[in-house]
Amino acid sequence: MHTSIDHVFVGALRPLPPEGQLTGMFKQPVDGPVAVTAEGLAGDRQADRRYHGGTEKALHHFPVEHYARLAQRYPERAALLQAGVLGENLSTRGWTEETVCIGDLFRAGSVLVQLSQPRRPCWKIDHRLDAEGASLFVAQEGITGWYYRVRETGTIAAGDTLELVERPNPELSVAAYWRATQAHRLDPATLRAIAAATGLAPEQARRLAERAAWLENNPAGG
């Protein structure tokens, strides 16, 4: 399983209209190799480090195919909806949340990365696209993209092959994970099994285990 990296994007902090909050969503494509550390791409910034960036969200990957779905929903924004607009670092064609799994290990250039979690869309997507409800649409459609942690640092470049080298959780695609975690009530045992998945971001595993405990203590109809 492999695909080509079409674009690598990095961005500095800029004000986000209309209110001027700082964001790292405005990214530019980079030609040539880019250094990758445990925190992500050299020169890439995130404004609110509580929710973006860090070792468990070092690289954001977003399938370019999703922009066509967004353009269909928001035709008035179609000209804007191109690779890089939602702040992704890596853009590819051919892979979606249905075809990659939590914990997948990929080699790209001299870098080894591991898929740690989906991206959780936030209100900044609405502002970036000037489209009310866009973040909710992304969540409902499950077109979230996903994050990597960096297992081996090095360099990466547009045109590099992104190749699967290990899949510890073949039953847990990003899409399956998203559907399960968005369900109103899920069997606590299922949540605990998902929380134990190899490679899942520790914070997400903790949240799922806590949710399982809450459901056990608050049964439906109890």
Side-chain angles (χ1 to χ4, degrees):
M1 177 177 171
H2 58 85
T3 190
S4 177
I5 299 173
D6 295 327
H7 302 287
V8 175
F9 295 99
V10 302
L13 299 184
R14 287 177 49 183
L16 179 66
E19 298 169 355
Q21 299 95 338
L22 287 178
T23 181
M25 290 183 76
F26 294 91
K27 299 192 185 299
Q28 299 297 320
V30 180
D31 294 325
V34 183
V36 182
T37 72
E39 293 278 335
L41 296 171
D44 196 46
R45 298 285 303 279
Q46 302 86 33
D48 191 341
R49 297 278 292 184
R50 296 173 300 170
Y51 304 109
H52 305 284
T55 57
E56 293 299 316
K57 300 177 182 177
L59 298 170
H60 176 219
H61 186 156
F62 192 73
V64 71
E65 292 94 330
H66 293 343
Y67 284 109
R69 293 174 67 177
L70 283 160
Q72 185 176 23
R73 173 62 181 82
Y74 299 100
E76 71 281 6
R77 310 304 294 157
L80 176 65
L81 290 165
Q82 301 178 21
V85 166
L86 292 190
E88 64 266 31
N89 298 118
L90 304 180
S91 177
T92 62
R93 183 178 302 276
W95 289 2
T96 70
E97 292 79 3
E98 297 283 355
T99 54
V100 297
C101 296
I102 298 294
D104 278 357
L105 281 163
F106 297 103
R107 176 71 66 183
S110 58
V111 175
L112 184 68
V113 297
Q114 185 170 37
L115 199 159
S116 60
Q117 59 193 299
R119 178 190 185 172
R120 292 193 172 272
C122 72
W123 58 269
K124 287 185 178 180
I125 292 177
D126 292 26
H127 288 205
R128 178 69 178 97
L129 301 183
D130 190 21
E132 185 175 355
S135 60
L136 180 59
F137 177 78
V138 169
Q140 290 175 334
E141 294 293 304
I143 51 174
T144 60
W146 53 88
Y147 287 114
Y148 298 115
R149 67 172 63 87
V150 178
R151 294 283 299 271
E152 294 178 10
T153 61
T155 61
I156 200 170
D160 282 348
T161 296
L162 189 61
E163 184 170 8
L164 178 70
V165 296
E166 186 177 332
R167 172 161 285 176
N169 308 301
E171 76 293 341
L172 190 59
S173 69
V174 171
Y177 175 92
W178 186 255
R179 288 190 293 265
T181 57
Q182 297 304 295
H184 177 60
R185 291 191 74 95
L186 198 65
D187 174 53
T190 301
L191 283 175
R192 292 189 189 281
I194 295 172
T198 299
L200 178 63
E203 176 65 13
Q204 298 306 311
R206 181 187 65 80
R207 289 175 181 269
L208 292 175
E210 289 177 350
R211 184 177 174 195
W214 186 92
L215 288 168
E216 288 169 340
N217 293 325
N218 297 273

